[in-house]
């Protein structure tokens, strides 16, 4: 973000944190260099080798695993920065009073800070997402990089940007309430992290699972998830229709009803989410997070007005 295109409090905010903005730009550039370079190296491997073999691919896959986890942590970093250096430090040091003497209202002061932070955070997030998508087609579907795994799920959809917006809003609120830099950073990281954990645990309950069934007798193997679907539950079905989780014949992939003669096993089942559930789930979760972000931002401005009318 160039400070030359900004005016007033926006320019002041960008000028104050220009090192952070440059650091974000360097992070994006470094990520592009690594992922792009490995992607090119992988593409130049000997085509006679089996698919997904070669040093370039191995390094690309490792880098993408680490990158996906870094993307998952991005909202925590954004929230901690907004709550700490951007807001809480101003109140802790009292420097916000100087800004309020420059013919600017408290609301305009906070709005300028959040608009600048939001623009920078969204630009960084979208740029990093674009870099991630450069390497994603090559490693998608491998162990730890399934479309529904934590990290890749956030980095390839819309939820990551919504979590970043939530982090900005929560940071603005917590920064005002706590007014201690380190405490505000830790509290914001805890709140945003808790939301990530809760919605991450609930997201696959937003849509009903699909179910496939099959025979369960000696010589019949366990059902396999169709395509690249996400398995949610698997087991056996009794004659009365009751589901029994897991298999009664442990140590074997054959759900053989004869292993338990006291149970009348008639079939096996598999619950799963198909890959087509990715975008509906993304949009539902994005809507929930954006609603939470709007609520946090509203409360942040109400708190500001109550303390600095």
């Amino acid at each position: 973000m160039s400070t030359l295109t900004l005016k007033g409090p926006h320019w002041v905010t960008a000028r104050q944190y220009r090192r952070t903005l440059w650091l974000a730009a360097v992070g994006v550039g470094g990520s592009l260099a690594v992922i792009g370079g490995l992607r090119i190296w992988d593409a130049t491997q000997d085509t006679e080798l089996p698919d997904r073999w070669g040093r370039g691919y191995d390094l690309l896959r490792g880098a993408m695993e680490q990158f996906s986890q870094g993307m998952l942590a991005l909202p925590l970093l954004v929230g901690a920065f907004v709550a700490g250096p951007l807001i809480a430090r101003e109140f802790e040091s009292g420097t916000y009073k100087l800004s309020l003497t420059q013919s600017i209202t408290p609301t305009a002061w906070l709005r300028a800070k959040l608009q600048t932070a939001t623009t920078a955070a969204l630009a960084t997030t979208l740029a990093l997402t674009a870099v991630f998508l450069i390497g994603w087609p090559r490693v998608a579907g491998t162990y730890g990089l399934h479309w529904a795994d934590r990290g890749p799920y956030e980095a390839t959809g819309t939820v990551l940007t919504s979590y970043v917006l939530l982090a900005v809003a929560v940071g603005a609120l917590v920064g005002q309430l706590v007014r201690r830099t380190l405490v505000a950073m830790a509290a914001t990281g805890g709140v945003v992290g808790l939301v990530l954990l809760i919605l991450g645990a609930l997201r696959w309950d937003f849509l009903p699972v699909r179910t496939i069934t099959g025979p369960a007798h000696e010589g019949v193997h366990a059902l396999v998830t169709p395509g690249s679907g996400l398995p949610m539950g698997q087991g056996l079905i009794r004659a009365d229709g009751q589901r029994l989780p897991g298999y009664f014949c442990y140590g074997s992939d054959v759900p053989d009803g004869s292993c338990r003669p006291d149970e009348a096993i008639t079939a096996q089942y598999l619950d799963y989410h198909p890959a087509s559930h990715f975008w509906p789930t993304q949009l539902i979760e994005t809507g929930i997070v954006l609603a939470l972000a709007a609520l946090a931002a509203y409360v942040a401005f109400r708190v500001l007005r109550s303390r600095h009318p």
Side-chain angles (χ1 to χ4, degrees), residues 79-80 82-84 87-88 91 166-192 296 299-300 303 307:
V82 172
I87 302 297
F91 288 104
L166 175 66
V168 172
V170 171
L173 175 58
V174 174
Q176 290 186 77
L177 296 175
V178 177
R179 299 196 175 197
R180 294 293 183 269
T181 303
L182 294 179
V183 178
M185 294 174 69
T188 300
V191 172
V192 176
V299 175
V303 170
R307 294 184 175 183

Side-chain angles (χ1 to χ4, degrees), residues 243-265:
R243 286 186 169 193
L244 302 172
Y247 295 118
F248 282 12
C249 299
Y250 294 102
S252 172
D253 61 350
V254 180
D256 184 3
S258 63
C259 295
R260 284 293 302 271
D262 58 321
E263 294 285 359
I265 303 299

Side-chain angles (χ1 to χ4, degrees), residues 72-292:
L72 187 59
L74 186 61
L76 305 180
L77 297 176
V78 172
F81 170 77
V82 172
L86 192 67
I87 302 297
R89 182 184 295 171
E90 294 278 336
F91 288 104
E92 185 177 19
S93 62
T95 54
Y96 76 98
K97 297 177 182 178
L98 177 61
S99 299
L100 299 184
T101 63
Q102 308 300 313
S103 300
I104 182 174
T105 65
T107 299
W109 169 79
L110 180 60
R111 182 170 57 244
K113 282 188 168 295
L114 295 187
Q115 286 176 344
T116 305
T118 299
T119 301
L122 286 180
T124 301
T125 302
L126 293 175
L128 289 174
T129 299
V131 173
F132 188 86
L133 292 177
I134 292 176
W136 177 245
R138 178 61 169 152
V139 302
T142 59
Y143 179 76
L145 291 169
H146 187 264
W147 60 268
D149 286 336
R150 298 302 302 266
Y153 171 85
E154 287 81 5
T156 55
T158 59
V159 296
L160 187 61
T161 55
S162 65
Y163 279 113
V164 168
L165 292 175
L166 175 66
V168 172
V170 171
L173 175 58
V174 174
Q176 290 186 77
L177 296 175
V178 177
R179 299 196 175 197
R180 294 293 183 269
T181 303
L182 294 179
V183 178
M185 294 174 69
T188 300
V191 172
V192 176
L194 183 62
V195 175
L196 278 166
L197 288 175
I198 292 176
L199 289 182
L202 297 177
R203 65 172 54 123
W204 301 119
D205 293 327
F206 295 157
L207 297 176
V209 297
R210 293 186 183 178
T211 301
I212 57 174
T213 59
H217 55 76
E218 187 174 1
V220 175
H221 292 273
L223 296 171
V224 178
T225 307
S228 60
L230 173 67
M232 299 299 295
Q234 193 167 12
L236 303 173
I237 303 176
R238 297 197 321 182
D240 59 2
Q242 180 182 352
R243 286 186 169 193
L244 302 172
Y247 295 118
F248 282 12
C249 299
Y250 294 102
S252 172
D253 61 350
V254 180
D256 184 3
S258 63
C259 295
R260 284 293 302 271
D262 58 321
E263 294 285 359
I265 303 299
T266 60
Q268 59 173 312
Y269 72 91
L270 171 65
D271 294 333
Y272 73 101
H273 282 290
S276 60
H277 282 186
F278 174 79
W279 281 112
T281 304
Q282 282 270 337
L283 295 177
I284 293 172
E285 186 173 353
T286 297
I288 295 173
V289 177
L290 288 178
L292 294 175

